[in-house]
Amino acid sequence: QLLTLGNHPIIYYSIKDAIDSGAKNVYLIVTSPNSDVETYVRSQDFSNKVNFLYQPQPLGITHALFQARELITGDFFALVFPDTLNFGNTPSLQQAIDYFRKVQSNIFSYSPITREELQFTSGTLRFEEQESNLGRRITSFSFVKPDEAKQIEGIHKVSFIRILSRNYFDYASKALNSSPVDDHQPFKELVQNEPTFSLPLRGRFFDTGVPEGYKRALEHFKWEKIFKTKAKSERQRIILE
C-alpha cells in the first residue's frame, strides 16, 4: 500500500476518496503501531481523521473488521479495500453513499470488467440478483477466481467498497468461532438475511494488489501525465497566439 502511484502511495487515494466523500472517521487496520503505513498517514494533512486499529497477524478480513466492532456506533458503516482503486469524476465512496440514501440498506458496489481484464485482478464476485423498485437486490453471491471466471461470458464484478449494517459483526462473530474461518461467510449471511443491493461504479478500476494490476495503474498515470502536459502546452500556445 506504500508503492508509489503518480505522486502518492497507493493508500493515499483510498483515504482521500473517503474524506472527499464526507467520511468523518476513517479506521485503518495495520499490523502494528509505528508501521510504515501508520508513519506515512500521520505525516499527512488528513491524519486527524484517521484512527488506527491493529492486527498483528494476517488472520483475514473477518478478524480485521471485528477489531472495529466497538467503534462503529451507527447502524451502517463502509468497508473499503484500499489496494483497489477507482478513478472517476465522483469519488467512489460518494457514489455508494448517494445510492445508500435511496435504499437505506446494504450495498455491494463494484467495478464491471470484461473477461480480458481478469488478468488485472485477484478475483471477482458473481451475483444472483432480483429486480426491485429500488434497484438490483442481491440474493446470493460467490467468489470466483480469475482462471474460473475466464470460462464465464459477460461482465465480471470486482467489489471493493461495501456499505454494511452493523449486524455484520453478529455474522462475523459466528464465523470466527468456526475453523477454518471463511471470510466470505459473514457477507453471505448478511445478503441472505437483509436487503442488499448492487451498484456499478462509474470510473476506471485498478487492482494494485496484483502485479499486473499495479503495472496497469502505473501505465494509466503515465499517460494521464502526458495528456495533462500536452493540454497545458496547448493552452499556453493559444494564450500566446
Side-chain angles (χ1 to χ4, degrees):
Q1 294 171 355
L2 288 180
L3 289 172
T4 301
L5 191 59
N7 297 321
H8 303 283
I10 291 168
I11 190 69
Y12 166 88
Y13 297 100
S14 292
I15 296 175
K16 184 71 163 50
D17 184 278
I19 292 173
D20 287 348
S21 299
K24 296 179 181 178
N25 291 295
V26 176
Y27 297 98
L28 190 61
I29 300 169
V30 296
T31 55
S32 62
N34 303 316
S35 65
D36 290 342
V37 171
E38 181 170 344
T39 299
Y40 164 74
V41 172
R42 289 194 184 281
S43 72
Q44 301 303 300
D45 293 339
F46 50 57
S47 63
N48 63 320
K49 294 187 177 181
V50 181
N51 306 279
F52 293 91
L53 300 172
Y54 304 105
Q55 186 189 36
Q57 296 177 312
L59 299 176
I61 297 168
T62 308
H63 180 271
L65 287 179
F66 204 67
Q67 312 306 305
R69 67 192 183 285
E70 301 300 332
L71 301 173
I72 306 298
T73 57
D75 293 332
F76 289 85
F77 67 98
L79 166 63
V80 177
F81 295 93
D83 53 2
T84 307
L85 307 174
N86 184 67
F87 296 107
N89 294 328
T90 303
S92 301
L93 181 56
Q94 184 64 61
Q95 294 180 50
I97 291 171
D98 289 344
Y99 188 44
F100 172 78
R101 293 192 176 106
K102 174 184 176 182
V103 300
Q104 296 292 307
S105 299
N106 303 294
I107 296 171
F108 280 34
S109 63
Y110 65 89
S111 286
I113 65 172
T114 65
R115 188 162 58 176
E116 290 69 30
E117 294 176 293
L118 289 169
Q119 61 181 304
F120 302 117
T121 187
S122 57
T124 60
L125 294 186
R126 188 165 181 80
F127 297 154
E128 295 296 329
E129 299 172 292
Q130 293 178 343
E131 290 287 353
S132 76
N133 60 335
L134 293 175
R136 297 183 68 85
R137 179 173 174 174
I138 304 171
T139 56
S140 66
F141 75 89
S142 56
F143 177 77
V144 186
K145 294 180 180 180
D147 287 344
E148 300 169 1
K150 288 176 183 177
Q151 311 304 316
I152 303 172
E153 295 285 350
I155 295 297
H156 301 266
K157 300 169 182 179
V158 180
S159 176
F160 55 95
I161 294 179
R162 302 172 190 176
I163 294 182
L164 309 170
S165 81
R166 202 179 184 286
N167 295 333
Y168 166 85
F169 296 112
D170 295 331
Y171 306 123
S173 179
K174 289 167 53 180
L176 289 171
N177 287 324
S178 62
S179 181
V181 175
D182 180 355
D183 283 328
H184 294 294
Q185 191 57 36
F187 297 114
K188 289 181 177 179
E189 291 195 41
L190 193 72
V191 165
Q192 290 167 1
N193 293 295
E194 300 181 19
T196 304
F197 294 87
S198 65
L199 172 70
L201 292 171
R202 302 181 301 278
R204 188 161 184 197
F205 142 88
F206 300 97
D207 184 349
T208 64
V210 297
E212 290 305 315
Y214 176 57
K215 290 178 186 177
R216 188 189 193 204
L218 288 174
E219 192 70 14
H220 168 77
F221 271 80
K222 171 186 170 183
W223 284 107
E224 185 179 65
K225 183 178 180 180
I226 292 173
F227 176 78
K228 287 182 177 179
T229 301
K230 183 177 180 181
K232 182 179 180 181
S233 176
E234 284 293 315
R235 287 196 300 271
Q236 290 175 339
R237 184 180 66 80
I238 291 170
I239 291 172
L240 289 172
E241 289 178 349

